[in-house]
Amino acid sequence: MTGIDQKTDKPARRKASKEVRRGQLIEATITSIAARGFAATTMADVADGAGLSRGIVNFHFESKEKLLAETLRFMSAAYEANWREALRTAAPGPAQKLWALVKSDFDRSVCNQRTIAAWFALRVEAQSRPTYRRISRRPDDAFLGAIVDLCRDLIADGGYDADAGKLAAGLDAMLEGMWLSILMDPDRMSRRRGLASVSQYLTCVFPRHFSNEGPLDTN
Amino acid sequence: MTGIDQKTDKPARRKASKEVRRGQLIEATITSIAARGFAATTMADVADGAGLSRGIVNFHFESKEKLLAETLRFMSAAYEANWREALRTAAPGPAQKLWALVKSDFDRSVCNQRTIAAWFALRVEAQSRPTYRRISRRPDDAFLGAIVDLCRDLIADGGYDADAGKLAAGLDAMLEGMWLSILMDPDRMSRRRGLASVSQYLTCVFPRHFSNEGPLDTN
DNA sequence: CCGATTGCTGAACGTCCGTTCAAAATGGAT
DNA sequence: ATCCATTTTGAACGGACGTTCAGCAATCGG
């Protein structure tokens, strides 16, 4: 996909330029949605934000709808890549992995005002358009599935009396709710506080695997 | 403000009629936002939904902005009234009260596709307009404050080793996240399942006060 | 250095939406 | 029955937005 290869770098440059432009426009879209809201974001805003002319978006994307769909797809992919990488590089053991997953949700790269604002604006608005719903549905299912698996492992390992599905659904909801709190009331809720709250719950639910400072070395 | 007073009931009737119209239009607004989304909701949609003419909204509300602000205010008030009533009629004891609070969040009157869809659409879009933010800010603070108090009482009563602020913030986030799950993926999450998940967490966090079926009679 | 292909521009067009307002309808008071 | 205040209507207006496209600029093969 990168194109920094092959014998000639001419087509590479063209392709790169095209992808770079699309990236610029998607970034400008996110910025505009975060600043102005979804409803108030116009094609002119996006073009101006990217420092380009008015007709540029219809050239690189076909329409406003396609631009928004691609923006949502981009953000979903970035989110999924973040937690998958965290899971991949985590130390072995379900507690370490769950902790890595939770922590990744509060990474600055995905958990910041701009990203969260655009994220919810797109998802909530996408709610009324079936085509958009599918874009973020599958990644969501994968994330929840990962949590369910880890909860099941923890319950089996620690002999806890709890239902993995219920715990996973609750944790998933708490994480998304924390993003909302950070978005809506940044004075009260922050990445640090959010992580501390979730950590408190993990400590209560899986006391043999977690303390308030993180996962215990019970391997 | 009600006008059901004074010697003559003329102004009362007029005022009532006026309030009824405003109510109709607010209901039509909620319906339209839930069905079409915030961005696609037009004044004509609202008027048609209420079975009235096009210029009617600007007569009863001054502008579209004011209509949306009033709709948000209406929904916030309805939500707050619901949990306050649940708290008022709850049996004594922090466990009973917290359970009543949590259960009220899954009442059909506030927790249904239509209401949740409009709720998040309005709140997320209101995010970019400071005027709208204040409308839902204060009720939110009150709700969180009530949870904090109850968590503090439970911790003191049960001798749990946990921080009330962290637990309250986490529970608040989980409840809001459950609404989002019900909205985004109704096939997977429902009012019943959501309540069961939260109940599972309460059982883990406050084992001396809750079981999976609800609060224990430990008074 | 010179065509040709690709990338980009910005003005023009048609549509849609929020608002306004003069006129009609409604309904209670005299 | 008549009058007046209030409520409602629907057409018209002005502005904003998404899209289109003919033309310009830049880059690359020859």
Side-chain angles (χ1 to χ4, degrees):
Chain A
M1 275 290 182
T2 54
I4 313 173
D5 46 33
Q6 254 32 25
K7 37 193 172 185
T8 73
D9 60 339
K10 294 174 298 183
R13 271 205 210 150
R14 287 207 193 124
K15 186 111 190 239
S17 172
K18 192 151 188 159
E19 286 303 313
V20 166
R21 277 278 175 272
R22 288 172 64 96
Q24 281 181 23
L25 292 171
I26 286 177
E27 289 295 333
T29 304
I30 296 172
T31 300
S32 176
I33 293 177
R36 277 177 273 262
F38 180 92
T41 290
T42 70
M43 299 284 265
D45 289 333
V46 174
D48 291 353
L52 297 169
S53 71
R54 295 299 163 84
I56 195 70
V57 182
N58 287 303
F59 180 77
H60 285 285
F61 302 84
E62 196 176 329
S63 64
K64 189 181 186 182
E65 284 239 342
K66 299 261 176 75
L67 168 69
L68 295 171
E70 288 302 313
T71 304
L72 180 56
R73 205 186 312 273
F74 171 82
M75 297 192 80
S76 280
Y79 176 72
E80 188 175 8
N82 185 65
W83 68 259
R84 281 202 190 277
E85 177 65 13
L87 207 58
R88 199 182 61 81
T89 60
Q96 304 285 346
K97 287 185 177 177
L98 185 60
W99 180 249
L101 205 65
V102 167
K103 241 192 355 178
S104 80
D105 227 57
F106 293 98
D107 280 352
R108 202 183 241 112
S109 57
V110 294
C111 183
N112 58 79
Q113 290 287 322
R114 193 187 83 115
T115 305
I116 295 177
W119 174 253
F120 280 114
L122 277 172
R123 284 174 60 105
V124 168
E125 200 62 19
Q127 181 58 21
S128 32
R129 299 183 218 184
T131 312
Y132 290 11
R133 282 182 76 155
R134 284 193 211 99
I135 296 176
S136 49
R137 180 76 151 263
R138 192 159 22 166
D140 282 0
D141 288 356
F143 185 72
L144 180 59
I147 299 183
V148 172
D149 291 343
L150 291 173
C151 283
R152 210 192 321 269
D153 291 351
L154 282 169
I155 290 171
D157 188 54
Y160 303 113
D161 177 28
D163 179 79
K166 289 181 188 174
L167 289 181
L171 180 56
D172 185 53
M174 198 188 296
L175 291 175
E176 200 132 25
M178 281 297 172
W179 276 28
L180 256 175
S181 290
I182 292 173
L183 171 66
M184 299 285 203
D185 197 350
D187 294 334
R188 196 183 297 277
M189 186 50 67
S190 64
R191 296 191 297 119
R192 225 186 89 260
R193 285 169 183 271
L195 183 57
S197 260
V198 177
S199 180
Q200 172 76 85
Y201 271 86
L202 292 177
T203 303
C204 293
V205 175
F206 305 117
R208 298 189 49 189
H209 291 89
F210 288 93
S211 78
N212 278 335
E213 283 75 36
L216 300 171
D217 289 336
T218 59
N219 244 2
Chain B
M1 276 288 182
T2 55
I4 311 172
D5 46 33
Q6 261 22 31
K7 36 194 173 184
T8 72
D9 59 341
K10 298 174 296 182
R13 275 208 208 147
R14 289 205 192 124
K15 189 104 191 244
S17 170
K18 194 152 185 153
E19 286 305 312
V20 166
R21 276 278 174 272
R22 287 172 63 97
Q24 281 181 24
L25 292 170
I26 286 177
E27 288 295 333
T29 303
I30 295 172
T31 301
S32 178
I33 292 177
R36 278 177 272 262
F38 180 93
T41 289
T42 71
M43 300 284 266
D45 290 332
V46 173
D48 291 354
L52 298 169
S53 71
R54 296 299 162 85
I56 196 71
V57 183
N58 289 358
F59 179 79
H60 286 286
F61 302 85
E62 196 175 328
S63 64
K64 188 181 186 182
E65 284 240 343
K66 297 260 176 77
L67 167 68
L68 295 170
E70 288 302 312
T71 304
L72 180 55
R73 205 186 312 275
F74 172 82
M75 297 192 79
S76 280
Y79 176 73
E80 187 175 8
N82 185 65
W83 69 258
R84 279 201 191 278
E85 177 65 14
L87 208 57
R88 198 182 63 79
T89 60
Q96 303 286 346
K97 288 186 177 179
L98 184 59
W99 181 249
L101 205 65
V102 166
K103 243 194 350 178
S104 80
D105 226 58
F106 293 98
D107 279 352
R108 201 182 242 115
S109 58
V110 294
C111 184
N112 58 79
Q113 289 287 321
R114 192 186 84 115
T115 305
I116 295 177
W119 175 254
F120 279 114
L122 277 171
R123 282 173 61 104
V124 167
E125 199 63 18
Q127 180 57 23
S128 32
R129 298 183 220 184
T131 312
Y132 289 13
R133 284 182 76 157
R134 283 193 212 99
I135 297 176
S136 50
R137 179 76 151 262
R138 193 158 21 165
D140 282 0
D141 288 356
F143 185 72
L144 181 58
I147 299 182
V148 172
D149 291 343
L150 292 173
C151 283
R152 210 191 319 269
D153 291 350
L154 282 170
I155 289 171
D157 187 54
Y160 303 113
D161 177 28
D163 179 80
K166 289 181 188 175
L167 288 181
L171 180 56
D172 184 54
M174 196 187 297
L175 290 175
E176 200 132 26
M178 280 299 171
W179 276 28
L180 255 175
S181 290
I182 291 172
L183 171 66
M184 299 285 202
D185 197 350
D187 294 335
R188 195 183 298 276
M189 186 50 67
S190 63
R191 296 190 297 119
R192 225 186 87 260
R193 285 170 183 267
L195 184 57
S197 260
V198 177
S199 180
Q200 172 75 84
Y201 271 86
L202 291 177
T203 303
C204 293
V205 174
F206 305 118
R208 300 188 50 188
H209 291 90
F210 289 93
S211 79
N212 278 336
E213 284 75 36
L216 298 172
D217 290 333
T218 61
N219 243 3

